[in-house]
Amino acid sequence: MDHTFDNSSNETSDSKRQPHSVSRWRLILGEAAEKQLESMNGPNGLRLTDEEAIMDAALAAIYDDTDGGQTASAGGSGRSSGSSGGGRGAGGGRGSVNLSRWLGDVRNLFAEDVVSIIQNDAIERRGWKQLLFEPELLSSVKPDIQMVGTLMALKGKIPEKTKDTARLLVKAVVDELMARMKEDMQRAVTGALNRRQHTPLPSLSGLDWKRTIQRNLKHYDTERKILIPERFYYFDRARRSKEWTVILDIDQSGSMADSVIWASVTGSIFASMPALDTRVVVFDTEVVDLTEKCANDPVDMLFGIQLGGGTDINKSVAYCENFIEDPKKTLFIMITDLYEGGNQSALVRRMREMRESGVRTLCLLALSDGGKPFYDERLARQLARDGTPCFACTPGMLPELVAGALQGQDMSALAKKLTTDKS
């Protein structure tokens, strides 16, 4: 959390830097460490500014006097907890904290990425679900993908008076994710589906360089050593209706929350493209078809998802097989950590037969900006041997991945290249 407490001072001498360094450690470690820091640096080294005192109180409300003596992470550091001296009376729980003022302090004093962490820790560590149950409090929450996951998990408990506010928060996150992905995804898919169709309409992004050069070689100026094209050739970006079927089969178990949100946005983008016949299915031990909700509004789709429960991947794949009409024009993307609670051998057989029929198959172990996912490595290796690449995918990788699948590229090689480039 060094960047969080950076006062942007240009002072460089050790004597000037030392008080800031000590106060920063005081904020990180909490009040329990005050005596030890004071004995090492003297009382003047622990003098907090008014702003730092407010920051300390906001952190103490969440991280001091927590259960079990555990140290919480907040931007990679953490407050000491469960110790004598305990925090600013915050151990009394939410009754001793003014949530509205606390939310304001957090948003005003901390960096945006840290605000999200602290808010989510408030819910997880302190049980402050009141943040989600009062419209005036919820409207003060910084919307992020983790908060959307929490709202999805608690949607059955959210009071009626808060639902409109919750929906606006979810919509803000969905709109942000859509903005990050839509243009790149549409460009990748449209280009992949129309690479061999040509048009006289000029478009620099659609210029077919190879064909243009080949057809104009006779116009090469040997003296000037330049090619002077007489005619340019362009790829046709026109969208043909329902040329491909894309099926998203999404694991809605609780551990997949971030992936579910990204997948919902992806499904909505696919559904907006006339060239694709998009199906969106979610599953736990049961299978739910959310295609219609996804096409109309991804926010509706997210509120139609029930995070948690068991997992029967085989059942969901069996359901998705009903939508495969032309295997060679079908892309099947399964988003799951592969912890199968159903018939695993039947799942492996179905995926192998699907692949052998000509369907382009992918298994995304995670679709998120997060780190290394937890997944069933043995099952992933089995599916990979049968021709279905299994790997974690960031949203930024997905457009190129989908384009490669539609173009008939070797998906195992492409997946390896993309994951190598990412690392």
Side-chain angles (χ1 to χ4, degrees):
M1 289 180 64
D2 285 4
H3 65 285
T4 307
F5 304 112
D6 186 3
N7 290 332
S8 301
S9 172
N10 292 322
E11 298 170 342
T12 57
S13 70
D14 290 341
S15 61
K16 290 181 179 180
R17 229 181 0 234
Q18 183 66 16
H20 173 63
S21 177
V22 174
S23 64
R24 183 167 57 198
W25 277 110
R26 165 64 180 78
L27 289 170
I28 293 171
L29 297 174
E31 188 177 358
E34 187 164 320
K35 289 184 178 179
Q36 185 175 0
L37 288 172
E38 188 174 292
S39 66
M40 295 169 59
N41 298 278
N44 291 334
L46 289 179
R47 192 171 296 158
L48 298 180
T49 66
D50 291 343
E51 183 176 284
E52 288 171 336
I54 297 172
M55 295 171 78
D56 185 46
L59 293 172
I62 305 302
Y63 301 108
D64 287 3
D65 284 339
T66 50
D67 293 336
Q70 298 176 348
T71 300
S73 66
S77 43
R79 305 269 296 191
S80 59
S81 56
S83 52
S84 60
R88 302 175 177 274
R94 68 184 180 190
S96 59
V97 177
N98 182 312
L99 289 181
S100 295
R101 187 174 65 187
W102 179 84
L103 277 169
D105 290 343
V106 168
R107 294 192 66 168
N108 290 332
L109 296 173
F110 294 91
E112 284 193 14
D113 54 341
V114 180
V115 171
S116 298
I117 295 170
I118 294 175
Q119 285 178 172
N120 283 287
D121 281 351
I123 294 171
E124 296 299 323
R125 298 171 65 91
R126 288 298 188 187
W128 287 0
K129 294 182 176 62
Q130 184 179 343
L131 287 173
L132 309 179
F133 293 164
E134 297 294 336
E136 62 274 14
L137 291 177
L138 186 59
S139 63
S140 300
V141 170
K142 179 187 181 296
D144 62 13
I145 197 166
Q146 287 77 26
M147 188 62 69
V148 171
T150 302
L151 286 169
M152 290 166 60
L154 295 173
K155 67 179 186 295
K157 301 176 182 177
I158 296 176
E160 196 66 34
K161 63 180 180 179
T162 311
K163 286 184 177 179
D164 288 344
T165 307
R167 182 179 177 82
L168 289 174
L169 187 150
V170 173
K171 186 178 186 304
V173 174
V174 168
D175 288 348
E176 179 185 346
L177 303 186
M178 190 81 74
R180 285 180 57 181
M181 288 190 70
K182 189 170 185 177
E183 186 176 345
D184 288 343
M185 183 66 77
Q186 288 182 335
R187 185 187 302 113
V189 171
T190 304
L193 294 180
N194 296 287
R195 293 299 287 181
R196 298 189 182 279
Q197 304 295 323
H198 289 84
T199 174
L201 299 176
S203 169
L204 181 60
S205 63
L207 182 63
D208 185 345
W209 290 98
K210 182 177 180 181
R211 191 177 187 195
T212 297
I213 293 171
Q214 288 176 339
R215 295 294 181 89
N216 288 280
L217 285 175
K218 60 184 177 181
H219 303 297
Y220 182 73
D221 187 327
T222 55
E223 292 184 4
R224 299 166 62 187
K225 295 184 179 181
I226 60 173
L227 182 68
I228 305 175
E230 183 179 76
R231 181 181 176 185
F232 293 89
Y233 296 84
Y234 302 91
F235 293 116
D236 185 2
R237 300 306 190 194
R239 299 172 180 173
R240 287 168 281 171
S241 180
K242 310 302 181 187
E243 183 180 353
W244 273 74
T245 297
V246 177
I247 304 171
L248 291 180
D249 192 23
I250 307 166
D251 185 342
Q252 64 175 349
S253 57
S255 60
M256 299 292 293
D258 285 7
S259 297
V260 168
I261 296 166
W262 276 111
S264 300
V265 171
T266 301
S268 182
I269 294 171
F270 286 157
S272 71
M273 304 176 70
L276 303 179
D277 180 14
T278 305
R279 309 294 309 193
V280 179
V281 174
V282 298
F283 66 89
D284 41 36
T285 54
E286 300 300 326
V287 179
V288 181
D289 193 325
L290 294 177
T291 300
E292 185 175 343
K293 287 187 176 182
C294 179
N296 294 333
D297 186 347
V299 177
D300 278 346
M301 177 182 166
L302 287 172
F303 278 107
I305 288 173
Q306 181 61 58
L307 293 177
T311 310
D312 193 333
I313 309 173
N314 178 58
K315 182 188 288 188
S316 73
V317 175
Y319 176 81
C320 291
E321 286 176 333
N322 296 318
F323 306 116
I324 301 175
E325 297 181 358
D326 182 353
K328 290 182 171 53
K329 290 287 187 179
T330 301
L331 172 60
F332 179 73
I333 304 176
M334 183 168 61
I335 304 170
T336 177
D337 54 16
L338 292 177
Y339 286 111
E340 171 67 307
N343 190 326
Q344 190 171 115
S345 60
L347 169 63
V348 172
R349 184 178 65 254
R350 284 185 191 280
M351 292 298 296
R352 182 191 306 119
E353 291 173 350
M354 188 185 293
R355 174 67 180 160
E356 290 173 347
S357 72
V359 175
R360 313 280 169 83
T361 59
L362 293 171
C363 177
L364 305 184
L365 303 168
L367 178 58
S368 70
D369 287 320
K372 184 178 179 180
F374 292 99
Y375 62 96
D376 187 323
E377 295 185 20
R378 188 190 65 79
L379 183 52
R381 284 194 297 269
Q382 177 65 62
L383 293 178
R385 281 195 297 267
D386 290 341
T388 298
C390 301
F391 58 100
C393 178
T394 65
M397 293 164 53
L398 194 58
E400 186 176 351
L401 185 68
V402 172
L406 299 179
Q407 291 172 334
Q409 295 184 30
D410 182 325
M411 295 313 300
S412 296
L414 179 58
K416 185 176 181 180
K417 173 185 177 297
L418 290 174
T419 51
T420 301
D421 290 347
K422 176 192 171 188
S423 61

